[in-house]
Amino acid sequence: MGTKLKTLLPLLLLALLSLSTLYTTSQAKEDPKLKECRRQCSQRPRQQREQCEQWCWEQHQQREQEGECERERGQEGNCRKAEKHLEQCRRQCEETQYGGQRQQCKQQCQKRYEEEKQRSQGQEGERGREQERGTGSDRDPQERIRQCKKECREQHGERQARWQCEQQCEERERVREHGRRDLNSRRWEEEEEGEERGGENPYVFKREHFKHKLRTEHGNVRVLTNFAKRSKLLLGIANYRVVLIELNPRTFVLPNHWDADDICYVVKGRGTVTVLKKEEKQSHSIRQGDILKVDAGSVVYVINSDSRDKLIIAKLVNPVSTPGKFETFFGAGGENPESFYRGFSDEVLEAAFNTERDRIERVFGKQRRGPIVQASEEQIRSMTRETSEGGQHWPFGEGGRFGESRGPFNILKKRPTYSNQYGQLHEVDANDYRPLGELDVKINLANISSGSMEAPTYNSRSTMIGVVVGGRGRVEIVCPHLGKQSETGTGRSRGRYGDNEDDDDDDDDDDESGQHGQKGQRYRTIRANLSPGTVFVVPAGHPFAEIASRDENIQIMCFNVPAEKNERIFLTGRNNVMSKMEREAKELAFDASAREVDELFNSQREQAFMPGPESRRSPRGGGRRESHGFIASVLEAAAGM
């Protein structure tokens, strides 16, 4: 019996091993990342293909053993992030809600905090195990590549083997980054679902909503999260992205091109932008207030020529390849940033440059300082010697209606559309700067004096993307879409009755008025504090008001898309739209005498800009009346009462 067992045991072990192999192979066939990795390997040169496929298989086995999802999601500080989100949510409740609704809002914040905390349980322990394994997932990607290539140089003496090893380092990081993008996409989906459930403010974006696209010690490029990922209410501008570029004094951004058209606005500082196209080179001096369009595929490099101040540029980006997504392509460079030339095989590069691989390596293997580098005063002086001056006066400026130049146009040099002691509004469209018409964009800059406000208004067709470029204040946006969430206690709403039978979204709602043929329209008032770098969105048709703080002016630059046939409709002030109604229409609309309506709408004699809520405080009045709330004080100020 014992002899038979000894004979059968190896056979049983062999059978189990075979089953395990079959199971692993089956799982591998179902692993889309392994399939994608092998597909990428098939495109590489023959001598690199085998090593690449071996690495793909090793990565697949590692995922099977460790559980890829838990490994990649085990990042530092999940609990702290949850607490930070809770704090931000509660602060938003304090700023926007009152009375019982404030308490309900905080309860919703607590509920979301508990859900986020549950998702993060166990991830810290997994991260610790990952660090013990030495995977280094929290290290900088470029640092991982540099360390890997250093090991290649130490381990391989033969040039071809070293080159192949370095290529594998970059390939590993690309696959790793691909996995991170998949994970980030899932996180954005979770956040969007949370947005719909929790009713957070989808129209205002703070610094934490930006992600670094490029970053060195000399500057950075930050990209605002995709609008549609934040909320489905912003699908109309899903293909646009907002980018902020910040460069330290005397710095140089390496030549690169984007697969996107973009409109640039110089927020602060001065410098030079050089644009290379198929058969031309254009260098332009830029300064605060300049507007410049850069076509997709143009090779661009930027210089901050100032020795003291930063250069800050805001961009509206319109991708031309993948909707809502764009990439940066560096031709110049080496290892950091990686030049796209290095993506080609050796034989292709040798034929294309008509030279040996060693010479190619010497050029494309030296740059390791990153995409933004410091330049000497002499280098800057030499590069800026032959530049055209931008920012000419309207209507004879470069790019204006009488010129074909593609140079910048300065919005501050154009006469304000509206101006008084309370503020100024500058507007630039395709009639002033022709390239704006190619993207159907209009730009306006509002400078609101301290303690003042812009009259409540709305845009007939344009969605307004506002960027605060200076000062502090606040904005109020009245939204009917979020008003539907008021029953959950997440929004402050104001109701009215209206005929909404044509609104498909409301066809199944209950008749809130209790009267046949009428339904209650609910509004939620979005209120947010504004500071430099804040971005906010106002969809077409949504009434809004911008208010400067009591202590300082506020400057807001806005991209308006689409611009064609848009009209700005003022709701209060000397040019308000309601005053244009007939006497009978006023009486029917407000169920009040026309005289009372006229007295209200004619009380404010200022146009576009007027004293704000703060200016209405008086010793006799005792300040703001809490029973009316903030929106009431805004309306009273706008009406001049």
Side-chain angles (χ1 to χ4, degrees), residues 522-544:
R522 308 289 292 179
Y523 299 102
R524 178 181 169 191
T525 304
I526 300 296
R527 176 189 171 200
N529 292 326
L530 303 178
S531 58
T534 300
V535 176
F536 64 95
V537 177
V538 183
H542 285 51
F544 68 97

Side-chain angles (χ1 to χ4, degrees), residues 498-507 517 519:
D499 183 5
N500 291 315
E501 293 186 5
D502 291 334
D503 187 349
D504 293 337
D505 292 339
D506 292 335
D507 284 346
K519 295 182 180 180

Side-chain angles (χ1 to χ4, degrees), residues 365-430:
K366 292 182 178 180
Q367 181 58 270
R368 296 182 176 88
R369 294 188 294 165
I372 305 171
V373 299
Q374 195 158 30
S376 69
E377 203 167 314
E378 182 180 347
Q379 289 172 321
I380 290 176
R381 191 183 306 113
S382 177
M383 288 186 290
T384 58
R385 188 173 296 136
E386 298 179 2
T387 59
S388 65
E389 289 292 332
Q392 302 298 312
H393 287 265
W394 173 88
F396 304 106
E398 294 189 39
R401 66 185 72 182
F402 299 112
E404 295 296 330
S405 172
R406 308 292 286 188
F409 182 94
N410 194 286
I411 193 172
L412 298 174
K413 300 300 182 181
K414 186 186 175 186
R415 188 180 303 114
T417 308
Y418 301 100
S419 180
N420 58 27
Q421 62 180 315
Y422 306 107
Q424 302 84 37
L425 180 67
H426 299 264
E427 297 180 304
V428 173
D429 58 20

Side-chain angles (χ1 to χ4, degrees), residues 481-606:
H481 307 293
L482 298 179
K484 298 172 185 178
Q485 300 178 355
S486 61
E487 293 182 1
T488 66
T490 60
R492 180 178 175 215
S493 61
R494 305 174 70 87
R496 73 168 176 84
Y497 292 119
D499 183 5
N500 291 315
E501 293 186 5
D502 291 334
D503 187 349
D504 293 337
D505 292 339
D506 292 335
D507 284 346
D508 297 329
D509 292 348
D510 293 334
D511 188 351
E512 298 179 11
S513 68
Q515 301 180 40
H516 181 67
Q518 292 182 324
K519 295 182 180 180
Q521 175 65 62
R522 308 289 292 179
Y523 299 102
R524 178 181 169 191
T525 304
I526 300 296
R527 176 189 171 200
N529 292 326
L530 303 178
S531 58
T534 300
V535 176
F536 64 95
V537 177
V538 183
H542 285 51
F544 68 97
E546 299 166 344
I547 306 98
S549 72
R550 182 170 51 183
D551 303 321
E552 58 182 323
N553 295 6
I554 187 171
Q555 297 84 40
I556 303 173
M557 186 275 299
C558 300
F559 299 106
N560 299 273
V561 290
E564 188 177 3
K565 297 182 180 179
N566 179 65
E567 293 183 354
R568 178 179 283 249
I569 309 297
F570 286 101
L571 301 174
T572 68
R574 193 169 72 245
N575 56 341
N576 78 84
V577 69
M578 295 298 178
S579 295
K580 296 178 172 61
M581 290 192 293
E582 302 92 338
R583 176 185 180 86
E584 293 77 12
K586 293 173 184 175
E587 292 176 346
L588 291 169
F590 292 96
D591 196 18
S593 69
R595 180 182 58 82
E596 289 180 292
V597 176
D598 287 337
E599 286 179 353
L600 173 66
F601 282 95
N602 293 334
S603 296
Q604 178 59 265
R605 300 313 301 159
E606 297 294 343

Side-chain angles (χ1 to χ4, degrees), residues 227 237 242 316 463-467 535-537 557-559 561:
F227 289 116
I237 54 172
V242 172
L316 181 68
T463 292
M464 190 182 83
I465 304 170
V467 182
V535 176
F536 64 95
V537 177
M557 186 275 299
C558 300
F559 299 106
V561 290

Side-chain angles (χ1 to χ4, degrees), residues 154-340:
E154 293 173 351
Q155 295 174 7
H156 299 281
E158 200 272 323
R159 187 181 301 275
Q160 177 67 21
R162 186 170 67 248
W163 178 269
Q164 292 178 3
C165 180
E166 290 178 350
Q167 292 293 315
Q168 288 300 313
C169 294
E170 295 168 1
E171 186 68 33
R172 290 192 192 98
E173 190 57 41
R174 277 193 286 270
V175 173
R176 187 194 298 266
E177 182 62 28
H178 184 271
R180 273 200 297 269
R181 285 198 295 267
D182 289 345
L183 179 62
N184 289 336
S185 176
R186 292 195 298 271
R187 285 175 177 165
W188 278 117
E189 291 172 1
E190 291 175 0
E191 290 177 13
E192 182 180 350
E193 292 171 1
E195 171 66 44
E196 297 298 326
R197 292 194 304 268
E200 287 183 0
N201 184 348
Y203 297 139
V204 180
F205 301 79
K206 301 291 186 178
R207 187 176 183 87
E208 59 265 24
H209 295 110
F210 284 86
K211 296 182 182 298
H212 282 97
K213 192 171 187 69
L214 303 173
R215 177 169 52 177
T216 74
E217 60 180 313
H218 304 298
N220 63 80
V221 177
R222 293 181 290 129
V223 183
L224 188 65
T225 183
N226 188 295
F227 289 116
K229 294 277 179 82
R230 182 75 185 275
S231 173
K232 294 177 181 178
L233 298 175
L234 302 180
L235 281 172
I237 54 172
N239 196 44
Y240 292 96
R241 305 297 296 272
V242 172
V243 176
L244 292 181
I245 300 175
E246 186 174 321
L247 304 177
N248 291 344
R250 291 202 309 226
T251 50
F252 175 76
V253 180
L254 271 59
N256 64 89
H257 72 267
W258 293 5
D259 55 346
D261 294 315
D262 58 79
I263 300 291
C264 307
Y265 176 83
V266 182
V267 175
K268 177 184 177 182
R270 62 187 181 92
T272 300
V273 174
T274 299
V275 182
L276 308 179
K277 292 190 175 182
K278 182 178 179 182
E279 296 178 352
E280 62 178 337
K281 169 189 172 185
Q282 296 180 350
S283 292
H284 308 288
S285 294
I286 56 172
R287 55 182 169 173
Q288 183 178 1
D290 275 352
I291 299 167
L292 179 67
K293 178 179 181 289
V294 178
D295 295 329
S298 300
V299 177
V300 179
Y301 50 95
V302 183
I303 303 166
N304 181 0
S305 55
D306 199 284
S307 60
R308 293 178 299 178
D309 294 331
K310 289 186 175 183
L311 175 62
I312 301 176
I313 300 173
K315 285 189 175 189
L316 181 68
V317 177
N318 185 26
V320 297
S321 178
T322 304
K325 297 181 179 180
F326 69 96
E327 295 295 340
T328 304
F329 299 83
F330 285 94
E335 292 187 5
N336 182 22
E338 181 185 9
S339 169
F340 56 69

